[in-house]
């Protein structure tokens, strides 16, 4: 009599176990993970754009980055059709594009006149503007732990950047600083838009609006890009699109105020990429500041994990 071997029950695969663990996290913790991933993608993007702005005018590089971001999403638009990406109200998408474009123009205008360390320091004022805006305009109740984590994160940034600050930017520092509340307003609008539109719809319309609004500035200083430059912009478009999708998903899942202390991890990403890509060895202040930032983010994650799920 033939006997058939009885197979043992299949053990859950890695994907199932990861899915179960991911589903067990609160929406706030998942939002924090998406925000951290967006920071890594944007750090890679900034490394590419830093090189591109040395080879052509900043306004042209800015336009091409978003134009290729739109090109990356064209296959999705072709497959699902324009109706799938129709927003529930166009005015919010247009306002978001206007505000974000204004911030980009000021940022790129001041960029050549300010040392890189000063640029980084001024950029880290953004999370504070966003947290204040979340209270004033979105009605979020920011718990004390989030303010503590944000302030400790700022201390970590100061440890890294204080020895490198030159203060030589003059009035250009104010121009750069004025971009931060505009970017904060753009992200607050994004949070509001997630209540009625999918993240991919928001990212699609961001690419469309910013490409259109930055085109006149790019044409004023246009030079023909090389094939190599176009290839880098294609990579930048992919990274930027993925980064903004992760950021929008973070805003969809969590309060804006909960995600902002995680933004300080961007400094750690930048230090890591500088070492891996360019062989830059971080100094002791960078390591100490990164440790403070990581500790702040980890502590906040533990506080959010202990909070009762909504």
């Amino acid at each position: 009599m033939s006997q058939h071997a009885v197979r043992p029950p299949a053990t859950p695969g890695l994907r199932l176990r990861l899915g179960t663990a991911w589903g067990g996290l609160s929406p706030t913790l998942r939002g924090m993970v998406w925000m951290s991933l967006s920071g890594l993608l944007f750090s890679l993007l900034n490394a590419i754009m830093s090189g591109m702005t040395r080879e052509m005018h900043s306004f042209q590089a800015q336009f091409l980055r978003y134009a290729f971001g739109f090109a990356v999403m064209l296959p999705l638009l072709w497959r699902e059709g324009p109706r799938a990406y129709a927003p529930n109200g166009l005015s919010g998408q247009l306002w978001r594009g206007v505000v974000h474009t204004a911030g980009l123009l000021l940022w790129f205008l001041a960029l050549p006149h300010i040392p890189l360390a000063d640029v980084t320091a001024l950029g880290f004022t953004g999370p504070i503007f966003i947290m204040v805006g979340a209270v004033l305009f979105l009605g979020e109740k920011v718990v004390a732990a989030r303010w503590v984590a944000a302030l400790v994160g700022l201390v970590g940034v100061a440890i890294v950047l204080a020895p490198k600050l030159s203060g030589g930017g003059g009035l250009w520092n104010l121009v750069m600083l004025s971009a931060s509340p505009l970017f904060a307003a753009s992200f607050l609008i994004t949070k509001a838009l997630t209540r009625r539109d999918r993240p991919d719809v928001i990212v699609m319309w961001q690419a469309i609006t910013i490409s259109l609004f930055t085109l006149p500035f790019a044409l004023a200083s246009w030079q023909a890009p090389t094939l190599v430059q176009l290839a880098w912009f294609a990579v930048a478009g992919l990274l930027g699109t993925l980064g903004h999708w992760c950021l929008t998903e973070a805003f969809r899942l969590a309060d804006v105020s909960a995600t902002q202390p995680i933004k300080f991890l961007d400094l750690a990403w930048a230090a890591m990429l500088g070492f891996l890509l360019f062989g830059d060895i971080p100094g002791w202040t960078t390591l100490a500041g990164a440790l403070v930032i990581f500790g702040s983010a980890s502590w906040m994650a533990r506080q959010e994990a202990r909070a009762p799920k909504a």
Side-chain angles (χ1 to χ4, degrees):
M1 185 176 71
S2 63
Q3 294 181 345
H4 297 282
V6 178
R7 295 182 180 179
T11 57
L14 177 61
R15 181 182 299 180
L16 179 60
R17 292 197 297 272
L18 290 175
T20 302
W22 178 253
L25 298 178
S26 69
T28 296
L29 284 175
R30 279 181 279 160
M32 292 167 68
V33 173
W34 283 121
M35 181 61 73
S36 177
L37 182 56
S38 77
L40 176 58
L41 292 167
F42 285 138
S43 295
L44 287 166
L45 171 65
N46 290 339
I48 294 174
M49 292 304 296
S50 178
M52 292 297 98
T53 54
R54 292 185 177 95
E55 299 180 10
M56 64 177 61
H57 196 282
S58 297
F59 288 168
Q60 181 182 353
Q62 173 185 318
F63 163 75
L64 288 172
R65 172 258 177 275
Y66 280 96
F68 273 91
F70 174 64
V72 165
M73 300 194 74
L74 277 178
L76 297 176
L77 187 63
W78 178 268
R79 185 183 66 186
E80 300 179 26
R83 182 172 297 181
Y85 289 91
N88 292 311
L90 186 57
S91 61
Q93 306 291 346
L94 293 175
W95 273 114
R96 197 272 171 112
V98 168
V99 172
H100 203 85
T101 298
L104 287 171
L105 291 174
L106 289 173
W107 193 86
F108 275 109
L109 189 64
L111 183 60
H113 306 280
I114 302 178
L116 187 58
D118 296 36
V119 171
T120 306
L122 292 169
F124 277 116
T125 60
I128 303 301
F129 283 117
I130 292 173
M131 292 181 71
V132 171
V135 174
L136 295 177
F137 301 111
L138 298 180
E140 291 186 4
K141 297 184 182 300
V142 183
V143 297
R146 296 175 187 175
W147 287 116
V148 171
L151 292 175
V152 173
L154 276 177
V155 171
V157 172
I159 292 173
V160 176
L161 297 176
K164 306 171 186 176
L165 297 180
S166 67
L171 290 176
W172 291 111
N173 284 321
L174 296 178
V175 176
M176 177 69 73
L177 182 60
S178 64
S180 285
L182 289 170
F183 287 140
S186 171
F187 294 142
L188 292 172
I189 294 172
T190 300
K191 172 62 177 179
L193 292 175
T194 61
R195 296 169 180 170
R196 62 189 190 189
D197 288 317
R198 305 190 317 272
D200 50 339
V201 173
I202 296 171
V203 174
M204 174 76 76
W205 278 94
Q206 173 185 274
I208 293 172
T209 55
I210 295 179
S211 296
L212 291 175
F213 296 152
T214 57
L215 178 58
F217 298 94
L219 291 177
S221 54
W222 189 267
Q223 67 182 57
T226 66
L227 290 177
V228 173
Q229 289 171 336
L230 291 175
W232 278 116
F233 278 115
V235 176
L238 178 61
L239 291 172
T241 297
L242 292 174
H244 276 290
W245 188 91
C246 292
L247 182 143
T248 306
E249 183 70 4
F251 288 162
R252 185 186 69 84
L253 289 167
D255 287 348
V256 175
S257 57
T259 63
Q260 291 315 294
I262 303 301
K263 287 295 293 177
F264 296 116
L265 282 176
D266 291 2
L267 188 61
W269 297 138
M272 180 185 70
L273 291 172
F275 174 73
L276 294 176
L277 299 178
F278 307 112
D280 295 338
I281 300 177
W284 72 267
T285 55
T286 299
L287 295 175
L291 185 62
V292 170
I293 293 168
F294 182 78
S296 170
S298 300
W299 176 78
M300 182 181 165
R302 288 174 61 87
Q303 294 298 115
E304 294 291 345
R306 292 170 180 169
K309 294 185 180 181

